[in-house]
Amino acid sequence: MNSHQDTVVQPLNAQAHSERGASPAPQIPIAISPRLYNRDLAPTERKGRSWSAYSIFTLWANDVHSLGNYAFAIGLFALGLGGWQVLGALGIGAVLLFALLNLSGFMGQKTGVPFPVMSRIAFGIHGAQIPALIRGGVAIAWFGIQTYLASVVLRVLLIALAPGLKPLDDGSILGLSPLGWIAFVGLWIVQVVIVSYGMEMIRKYEAFAGPIILATMLALAIWMFARAGFSIAWHTDNSLEGPAMWGHILGGGALWVSIYGTFVLNFCDFTRAAKSKGSIVKGNFWGIPVNMLLFGAISVVLAGAQFKIDGRIITSPSDVVEAIPNTFLLAGASLALLVLTIAVNLMANFVAPTYALTNLFPKRLNFRKAAIVSAVIGLVILPWNLYNNPTVIVYFLGGLGALLGPLFGVIMADYWLIRRGRVNVRELYTEEPDGEYHYRRGFNPRAITALVPAAAVALAIAFVPALAVLSEFAWFFGAGLGAAAYWLVADRKREFHDADGEAIAVPVVH
């Protein structure tokens, strides 16, 4: 740390400024604060960035094909949308997500900083704790819940392979059977080990898991298609038409974006190691519109084939796996689902709280230590009890989730509309009173002022029954109001500087 205590801010080259119309950053010494900087929060060096278009694609190859997403898509079929309407809803959501994720991803690629540090631009060096902890709080609870749901699959698999373990599945210790504890703790340890090796190990795991998941889901779809006589039911008996159909198509597309409200907020956690903007665009293109349409086709085939076979609508691919008659193939498919769940959990629910805790205690926690703390919290909250408590899911996690849209709106409006991408990266790490992101005692009151009314509206839409008709579009209302409010109250007279963080950057692999 001492080597960064007296770093001189250098402006970007003149050509870069003429292209962006940015003012050169003043050449003044800045003191890097150990309360704001460590090797995991530092910007990444441009040389050696390792996340390619394939790396970005495999993030989506894993996450898009999660069991929760399949349940959502099949749910649209159950509501009365036909196969083509389901694809239309997912297509609308995919196009919107492609645009939003590129905007968020470019921020990470330019600055090289994780989401908690990125939030300092709009909210201030200390105010950034607000969005970081909200995002981390949502993720840490879902990390425990998703680990529990994966342990249920593992428990069933273990009993299928070794029926002698059945007695261990009886009884309850704090809500889980002995076998349930073995399965949960086993998966918990696997995830902690992977994350403890840092983001580069996560990249490698996602790259390994992506092809496995795609192959498994395609195989399940082909198998079901064959079982149904190589044809499927394109809709159920309660097929929707007219305004009701279009309402569900648009609502489904909007909800598809809401599901990814977490990722569009902290996508920079991953793209800070991206090789170029082109890598992000290519990875997102193949991983979002193309991959999501493939995902939609698989969902339609699985649901339509089962409905044709016996008139039943499945709830997720796990229902299909349970019907596989061959024990060996059933075990292979179940293991693939476990690989998938771990991959989704790592990227969606482990990285965000790890960075949030690192940002909260940078002098005491690095990425590995923060990952362990996150995992321990995810264990001690006994997540199976949270999952079985609708009040906790709806009011606590639902309330936190409703705030993600307004946060996104404020951060995007500040970065793209107000300062137009001009960021003085090195001053994100100083507590000097005249620092560019010090604002007022480290908090930007204008960002908080914009956040409050947008958050109030988002929470009202989430919880007030009279506004339930708007619930499918809650994320858009929150994001739009947050952006509009910040546009109205932001200080446009400030001079925005553009300077990279290479002087205090660290290698991607660390």
Side-chain angles (χ1 to χ4, degrees), residues 164-434:
L165 295 176
K166 177 62 178 170
L168 288 176
D169 204 30
D170 297 327
S172 176
I173 304 172
L174 297 177
L176 281 185
S177 68
L179 185 61
W181 273 103
I182 293 171
F184 180 88
V185 173
L187 291 174
W188 183 88
I189 291 173
V190 169
Q191 293 173 95
V192 170
V193 169
I194 293 172
V195 172
S196 69
Y197 283 95
M199 291 295 290
E200 183 65 10
M201 181 58 74
I202 293 176
R203 181 186 70 83
K204 292 178 179 178
Y205 182 84
E206 300 291 334
F208 153 77
I212 293 177
I213 302 313
L214 290 174
T216 301
M217 292 305 177
L218 279 171
L220 284 178
I222 293 171
W223 179 64
M224 285 294 291
F225 191 54
R227 283 187 64 203
F230 297 99
S231 66
I232 64 171
W234 281 94
H235 51 78
T236 61
D237 297 333
N238 62 333
S239 181
L240 296 174
E241 296 179 352
M245 177 192 73
W246 285 108
H248 279 295
I249 290 175
L250 295 175
L255 283 174
W256 196 227
V257 175
S258 299
I259 289 172
Y260 283 87
T262 52
F263 273 119
V264 295
L265 195 59
N266 75 303
F267 191 35
C268 57
D269 285 343
F270 304 92
T271 59
R272 64 190 294 240
K275 294 180 177 181
S276 65
K277 285 185 177 180
S279 298
I280 297 171
V281 173
K282 291 177 184 177
N284 281 344
F285 175 75
W286 289 104
I288 301 297
V290 175
N291 181 45
M292 282 186 174
L293 288 177
L294 173 63
F295 156 82
I298 292 174
S299 301
V300 169
V301 169
L302 292 177
Q306 187 67 61
F307 191 79
K308 182 187 176 186
I309 291 171
D310 58 10
R312 183 170 62 94
I313 299 177
I314 60 174
T315 57
S316 83
S318 57
D319 295 345
V320 175
V321 171
E322 291 174 1
I324 296 176
N326 184 290
T327 302
F328 177 77
L329 294 178
L330 184 148
S334 297
L335 286 174
L337 294 184
L338 290 175
V339 169
L340 165 64
T341 303
I342 290 174
V344 172
N345 221 11
L346 289 175
M347 63 180 291
N349 301 318
F350 217 154
V351 172
T354 298
Y355 275 129
L357 287 171
T358 304
N359 187 58
L360 195 60
F361 305 107
K363 291 193 288 186
R364 293 180 175 85
L365 296 178
N366 57 20
F367 193 90
R368 175 176 291 186
K369 291 178 181 177
I372 294 173
V373 172
S374 299
V376 169
I377 296 173
L379 171 63
V380 299
I381 62 175
L382 304 179
W384 44 91
N385 292 329
L386 296 182
Y387 182 72
N388 293 323
N389 188 333
T391 301
V392 172
I393 295 294
V394 172
Y395 288 101
F396 178 64
L397 294 179
L400 287 178
L403 301 179
L404 298 180
L407 286 171
F408 180 80
V410 171
I411 291 172
M412 291 296 121
D414 178 77
Y415 185 91
W416 289 109
L417 300 180
I418 304 300
R419 63 183 65 248
R420 300 189 180 183
R422 289 167 288 185
V423 180
N424 191 336
V425 175
R426 279 162 278 184
E427 293 216 2
L428 292 168
Y429 301 93
T430 181
E431 292 185 279
E432 295 294 321
D434 58 350

Side-chain angles (χ1 to χ4, degrees), residues 91-116:
I92 291 171
V95 170
L96 293 171
L97 277 174
F98 177 68
L100 295 172
L101 285 165
N102 283 337
L103 288 176
S104 181
F106 290 165
M107 295 164 62
Q109 190 275 332
K110 175 180 177 174
T111 62
V113 303
F115 173 68

